[in-house]
Every structure is written in structure tokens, then in C-alpha cells.
Amino acid sequence: MRFLHTSDWHLGRSFHRADLLGAQARFIGHLVATAREHAVDAVVVSGDVYDRAVPPLAAVELFDTALHRLADLGVPTVMISGNHDSARRLGVGAGLIDRAGIHLRTEPAAAGTPVVLHDAHGDVAFYGLPYLEPALVKDEFAVDKAGHEAVLGAAMDRVRADLATRPAGTRSVVLAHAFVTGGLASDSERDITVGGVAAVPAGVFDGVDYVALGHLHGCQAITERVRYSGSPLAYSFSEAGHRKSMWLVDLDADGSVTAERVDCPVPRPLARIRGALDALLADPELTRHEDAWIEATLTDPARPADPMARLTARFPHTLSLVFDPDRAPDDPQVSYARRLTGRDDHQIAQDFVAHVRGTGPDEHETAVLRDAFDAVRADDAVREVAR
């Protein structure tokens, strides 16, 4: 069986102040054309279809267009909700849409109920595991500890139990939206840390032939059978070095996997440039970036006059301007933002405790802080689902 693995469309998202809806529409066209050209048997979309729980109307219309074009092509599509999606909204009408060959899997309770497709070698069971927010699904999966590994492990137990009842030789594909150990993150993914832990081991998915992952925006293979497709477009300057693509996967009769990357259209290249303003404006090596979306980091010791206007005279698509003067780390003028770079909310809170009383939190206090942050994040997830 041949299928396309994609994820993280984030329909409705912009890139800084640049509207990406046209680029997202071109990607949908490219997806349909690729499915036709390579005669795929299925398309899988591993979550984060939308960028937020209540997407703008234009994004909903684009999603509707995508579903119609895939249905018209006659290619079955299996799709799960991600942590940016409202599972309830995305799943509205799933029963009716299912009849058109578009299989939306947004209910955690259905983790062990596959979409079964057929080829010349028999059945392939596609199991859709939507993003499993531990605080919301721990009761459904009867786990004691509300963590990602626990709930994903329980969901995979259901997958393996169902697979064991199927005819010998049935091949299996799991769609999941998670942060798997070994994956490389970028700046544009939403934090899903629970209890200080964000990642789950790849071994959670043992027992199936292919795992189509979503959440991380860089295309990467954790193992030969466990892969992220990445997002089709760049959503942060940290993705400037990404090659945006989809996986074209062939699942052979014995369950062996071969996969190749199919590049996605690039609306405009990204570039990060750094230096003093006058040097950036004069550097001939930067000519190649004059048509790119630019993130410029200025290292001038004092903020220059009209920096954005001067930059856009040479780099008209400059979207982000950062000031990072070259100073020693212990210089009292080093910015607060710079001191916090690379530190998460929990670490910042610990630093604050140390600052105000002279010593950091003890083990008990550290646990209290972590539980507080987890409770706030879980409450945000509940509120988003209820909107």
C-alpha cells in the first residue's frame, strides 16, 4: 500500500505579519496533485489541521475545499486532531464525511477502532490516535498518572489488542500527535510538557508497521518505522534550515517500509541575518537574501535610528527585528529577555524564587511549582475544548 504522510497544516496561521492562506491553498493543490501523480492508496494527516480551536472562516473554507478535492480524487484520507485543534469541532459530521472516504478520528475512545483499507496483499488497519491531553483522557484510559507516556501506552494497548483479533498478515499504521524522544523541535510548536516531561519513548509504538507522527515541524525519521512529516510550511524563523516535505510511504506485503520525501512548495525562502546595521546593509554576501523573509538581529551597542526602514530599503521582506547588542554575559545592561533565552516557565519560576529569597526551591517546592503549571495548562486545555 502506498500512502502520503503529512501533518501540521495549521490552516489560518500567519507568518509574523505575512498572510499564509494563499501558500496553504497552494500546498493543498500540491498534495492533491502528488496523490494523483503517485497513484497513492491513502492520505494520512497527523493532526494540527487548524492553528487554533476556533479557526477563521477562510481557514474552514480551505479545509472544506481540501476535503472535497481529496474525495473527488477517490483517495481515502485518515485524519486526526492535534493539540491546536478542537477535537469536537473537527469531528463534527465525521459519520457523514466518512461515507465520502474522509475518515476523521478525533475521539480518544475510538483509538482501537481502525479504518481498514485493502490492497492486493490484504488489509491495512489505520489507527487514529488524536492528541491525548493527559488531564482530559486519563479516566478514559484508566491510568493512575496523567502523563503522555501513560495515556499513549494505554491507547496503544487498545491498538495491539484489536490488531491481535484481525486476520494474520494484517498490516498496521498508527497516526499520533506527540513529542517522541529523539525528535528535534523548533520554536513554533506549542509546549505540551506535563510533569516536567514532554517526550515519550518510541518504544510506546512497538508492534505496528508504521507510525505517522505529527506535532514537530521538522521532517525527520525517529526510526525507519516512526517518522514525522513536519509542517508543509515554515511557521517560525527557527525553521529556516528545514526542507519542507511529505513522506511517500510504501508498505509492502510483509509490512516492510520504504519512504521517500516529496518536497512542498516554498512561498518565500527564510533567512536569519545578524550584525551591525551598517554592516548588514553593505555586505555583498547578503545579496542572495534580498528576496527572502528576513529576521534581522542587530548587534549595534546602541539602537540605531530607523532600523526597520533602513533594512527594508535593501531587504523589503524583513518581518522580524531583534536587538542583541554584543555585550559580556555579566554586563548589567544585558536584557532580561536574553537572560531567559532557552528557559521554560518552570525554570523561570525557580529562578524567581532564588532571586527573592536567596536560595532556590527545595524538592517539595519544585514539585508544587510544577503541579501549578501543569494545572494551569490543563485548565487552558479544558477551556479550549469547551469554547
Side-chain angles (χ1 to χ4, degrees):
M1 178 161 292
R2 169 172 286 185
F3 58 90
L4 274 175
H5 166 200
T6 178
S7 72
D8 295 274
W9 294 358
H10 289 278
L11 300 181
R13 187 165 183 163
S14 60
F15 186 75
H16 292 263
R17 62 177 181 273
D19 184 1
L20 290 180
L21 199 65
Q24 291 172 334
R26 287 190 291 276
F27 162 69
I28 296 299
H30 171 71
L31 171 68
V32 172
T34 301
R36 182 187 299 110
E37 176 186 351
H38 292 278
V40 304
D41 301 298
V43 171
V44 301
V45 186
S46 299
D48 282 354
V49 175
Y50 292 121
D51 189 56
R52 55 182 187 265
V54 185
L57 179 59
V60 177
E61 291 173 340
L62 180 55
F63 178 60
D64 183 62
T65 297
L67 296 188
H68 277 86
R69 294 185 67 178
L70 288 166
D72 289 345
L73 197 61
V75 175
T77 299
V78 185
M79 185 177 295
I80 62 173
S81 50
N83 62 300
H84 279 250
D85 300 309
S86 165
R88 291 172 63 185
R89 283 186 171 82
L90 189 64
V92 167
L96 288 173
I97 296 171
D98 195 81
R99 300 177 189 177
I102 307 294
H103 309 285
L104 298 176
R105 292 296 181 264
T106 64
E107 291 292 336
T113 304
V115 175
V116 181
L117 304 179
H118 314 277
D119 66 6
H121 306 293
D123 293 347
V124 180
F126 288 80
Y127 296 90
L129 311 186
Y131 172 66
L132 302 175
E133 173 60 49
L136 301 183
V137 302
K138 64 183 180 66
D139 292 337
E140 166 63 35
F141 291 107
V143 297
D144 295 329
K145 186 177 180 181
H148 290 291
E149 184 174 354
V151 296
L152 267 173
M156 282 301 302
D157 286 343
R158 294 188 184 184
V159 168
R160 286 184 283 263
D162 179 83
L163 195 55
T165 68
R166 299 196 171 270
T170 298
R171 290 154 291 160
S172 54
V173 176
V174 165
L175 288 71
H177 197 86
F179 191 162
V180 175
T181 303
L184 299 176
S186 62
D187 292 343
S188 54
E189 298 107 5
R190 182 182 295 171
D191 181 29
I192 59 170
T193 302
V194 174
V197 178
V200 299
V204 165
F205 300 104
D206 286 351
V208 297
D209 295 309
Y210 185 82
V211 182
L213 292 173
H215 181 56
L216 299 185
H217 289 182
C219 182
Q220 52 199 293
I222 305 300
T223 71
E224 285 303 302
R225 296 183 181 275
V226 181
R227 297 173 184 260
Y228 284 99
S229 67
S231 59
L233 299 171
Y235 293 116
S236 73
F237 278 104
S238 66
E239 300 169 54
H242 287 189
R243 173 188 163 197
K244 295 301 184 181
S245 57
M246 303 176 282
W247 286 112
L248 180 63
V249 181
D250 284 303
L251 189 60
D252 293 339
D254 61 356
S256 59
V257 172
T258 55
E260 65 176 284
R261 293 175 71 173
V262 179
D263 290 331
C264 296
V266 178
R268 191 178 296 279
L270 308 185
R272 301 175 110 171
I273 60 177
R274 179 186 178 89
L277 178 57
D278 287 342
L280 295 179
L281 296 177
D283 189 349
E285 290 295 317
L286 299 181
T287 301
R288 68 186 188 278
H289 297 318
E290 289 179 352
D291 195 44
W293 277 324
I294 295 288
E295 178 187 72
T297 300
L298 301 186
T299 60
D300 302 76
R303 186 173 300 219
D306 299 322
M308 182 61 88
R310 293 169 64 189
L311 276 168
T312 54
R314 181 180 183 189
F315 306 104
H317 305 290
T318 301
L319 295 179
S320 176
L321 185 58
V322 180
F323 292 97
D324 187 18
D326 285 333
R327 295 190 176 112
D330 57 353
D331 188 315
Q333 296 190 65
V334 170
S335 73
Y336 181 66
R338 184 173 176 180
R339 293 199 299 272
L340 296 184
T341 299
R343 304 185 69 75
D344 62 29
D345 291 342
H346 186 245
Q347 292 169 324
I348 292 168
Q350 290 179 293
D351 289 348
F352 177 76
V353 172
H355 173 72
V356 297
R357 76 178 187 192
T359 60
D362 60 25
E363 184 176 337
H364 171 70
E365 291 167 332
T366 297
V368 169
L369 284 170
R370 180 174 290 119
D371 289 346
F373 279 108
D374 286 350
V376 170
R377 202 184 58 80
D379 184 63
D380 286 344
V382 170
R383 290 173 183 271
E384 191 160 283
V385 168
R387 288 172 65 189

